[in-house]
Amino acid sequence: MTGRQSPPTERVLAVLSLLGEEPRRRLTLTEVSMRLGLSKPTCLGILAALTEAGFATRDDVKAYGLGPALLRLGWAAETGLASLDIVRPHIRRLHEQLGLPCVLAGLHDDSLVVLDRVGRIPVGDHRDIVGERFPCTPPLGLTNTAWRDDDAVRAWLARTPLAPFAVSQERTWALVRAARERGYLVERRTGDDAATPTIVLANLEVSGLPRSVLDVLRRHMPPVEWAEYTTELPEEDDEMVPLAALSAPIRDRLGRQRYTLTLLADRAQAPAGVCRSWASALTAATEAATTALGG
C-alpha cells in the first residue's frame, strides 16, 4: 500500500460495496446517502455513472441495485488470468519433474483455446500455439469434454462433425466413462506418423487456408474412428507404447472441468511403466491445481 489515496474512488467503491452487501435488496438514493454519510448530490452522481456503465440498475421507484456488468467482471475473475496464475506453478513443476512439454487448454464460446504451454512443442512445428482457437466440434474436443456433465457431452456430440466421423455413441460414452473412472485419457500414435487424425484436423483449422478449401479437405479425410484414444496401458512395464499424449482435467470449485492439461510425449514409443508414471504425475498435478482453485 502507498500513502496516496483517492477520495472520489473510495466513495465509488463504498457505494458498490453497499449495494453488494444485500444483493437482493434495492436501496433508494436517500438510504444510500444516509448509510454512507454522503450527500445526496454526490451519491446521485455516482449512482448515475454506475447505472450508465451497467454496474448498477435503477427501477421505476428509483431504487438501485447491482447491474449486469458486474457479472462480466465476475466471470472474468473466475475464468481469466487470476485462475491461470494459480494453475501455472503446477504446470511448471510437472514439466520440471518429467521434462515433457505441457499444454493447457480451456473452452470459451464453444471454442478450444490454448491458454499456456511449458516446454518445446514437437520437432518440426515452430508455432507458439498459445492463443490458438479450434472449434469444439467432433471429432475435436473429446479431452476437453469428457469430464464435463452428461448434458454437455450430449450437446457436443449433437454438433455437425467437422470431418467424416465413424464413432458410435456407445464407443464415445465408453471412452467418457473410462476417462472419468481412470482420471486421464491416453492418445496413441497411429501408424508411423506422429500426428494422429485429430491433430491433423486441428492443424488444418489453424492453417490459414480459405474456408472453402478447408471444407473440401475435411470432406476427403479418412473417417475419424478415435482408434488413438484409450485409458488402458499394457500391464507389462517393458511393453512399448506408441504414446502421443496424456490428458487430464483441472476442475473449479463447483467440480466442473475448467481446464485440460495435456502432457506431450517426446519420443515415438515409451515403456508402459514409464507411461504409467507419467500418468500418475499428470493426475497428481491436475489434482493439486484443482485444489488450488478450490475444487
Side-chain angles (χ1 to χ4, degrees):
M1 294 289 292
T2 67
R4 301 179 63 182
Q5 295 180 327
S6 172
T9 303
E10 291 175 353
R11 289 193 285 270
V12 173
L13 293 175
V15 171
L16 279 174
S17 296
L18 178 61
L19 295 178
E21 286 177 5
E22 300 177 75
R24 290 181 173 80
R25 182 187 173 198
R26 304 183 70 81
L27 302 175
T28 65
L29 174 62
T30 299
E31 290 174 311
V32 174
S33 174
M34 290 180 59
R35 291 179 63 171
L36 295 179
L38 300 174
S39 69
K40 284 187 178 181
T42 296
C43 289
L44 181 59
I46 293 173
L47 287 166
L50 290 174
T51 301
E52 184 176 356
F55 294 111
T57 57
R58 180 176 182 266
D59 60 23
D60 294 338
V61 297
K62 300 180 181 180
Y64 295 87
L66 297 176
L70 292 171
L71 293 174
R72 294 194 298 272
L73 288 181
W75 181 89
E78 180 77 9
T79 63
L81 293 177
S83 57
L84 283 179
D85 289 340
I86 293 172
V87 167
R88 280 188 176 110
H90 301 282
I91 302 174
R92 287 195 294 269
R93 280 195 286 271
L94 179 65
H95 172 66
E96 291 167 359
Q97 177 185 353
L98 302 180
L100 298 177
C102 302
V103 175
L104 185 73
L107 285 178
H108 180 59
D109 292 338
D110 294 330
S111 292
L112 309 175
V113 184
V114 179
L115 300 169
D116 203 2
R117 72 169 175 85
V118 182
R120 303 175 66 179
I121 55 179
V123 175
D125 194 339
H126 303 292
R127 295 172 300 143
D128 178 60
I129 78 171
V130 174
E132 288 188 343
R133 302 172 71 95
F134 310 88
C136 187
T137 303
L140 299 182
L142 176 62
T143 59
N144 305 85
T145 309
W147 293 276
R148 301 175 71 198
D149 61 51
D150 287 358
D151 287 340
V153 175
R154 292 189 189 98
W156 170 68
L157 284 171
R159 295 171 188 163
T160 302
L162 292 172
F165 190 51
V167 183
S168 67
Q169 292 273 337
E170 291 77 10
R171 164 70 172 157
T172 299
W173 283 105
L175 276 172
V176 167
R177 287 191 294 270
R180 291 171 177 177
E181 181 178 353
R182 190 61 59 94
Y184 61 84
L185 197 57
V186 178
E187 187 172 0
R188 298 172 296 194
R189 301 173 191 266
T190 54
D192 297 328
D193 298 323
T196 64
T198 49
I199 292 175
V200 171
L201 182 57
N203 278 275
L204 273 178
E205 288 297 316
V206 295
S207 64
L209 291 171
R211 182 56 52 184
S212 58
V213 175
L214 285 177
D215 290 342
V216 172
L217 290 175
R218 288 193 310 232
R219 285 199 301 269
H220 286 82
M221 286 183 63
V224 176
E225 298 178 343
W226 279 345
E228 66 269 31
Y229 287 113
T230 184
T231 58
E232 301 295 331
L233 291 168
E235 294 183 2
E236 297 294 329
D237 285 348
D238 57 355
E239 185 173 340
M240 302 304 289
V241 178
L243 185 70
L246 291 161
S247 297
I250 296 174
R251 305 175 190 273
D252 63 15
R253 60 185 177 82
L254 298 178
R256 300 171 301 195
Q257 182 178 2
R258 167 66 64 80
Y259 304 117
T260 304
L261 182 56
T262 298
L263 196 62
L264 301 177
D266 62 347
R267 64 198 75 170
Q269 297 204 23
V274 172
C275 294
R276 278 196 293 273
S277 69
W278 289 348
S280 295
L282 172 65
T283 54
T286 53
E287 288 169 4
T290 294
T291 300
L293 287 177

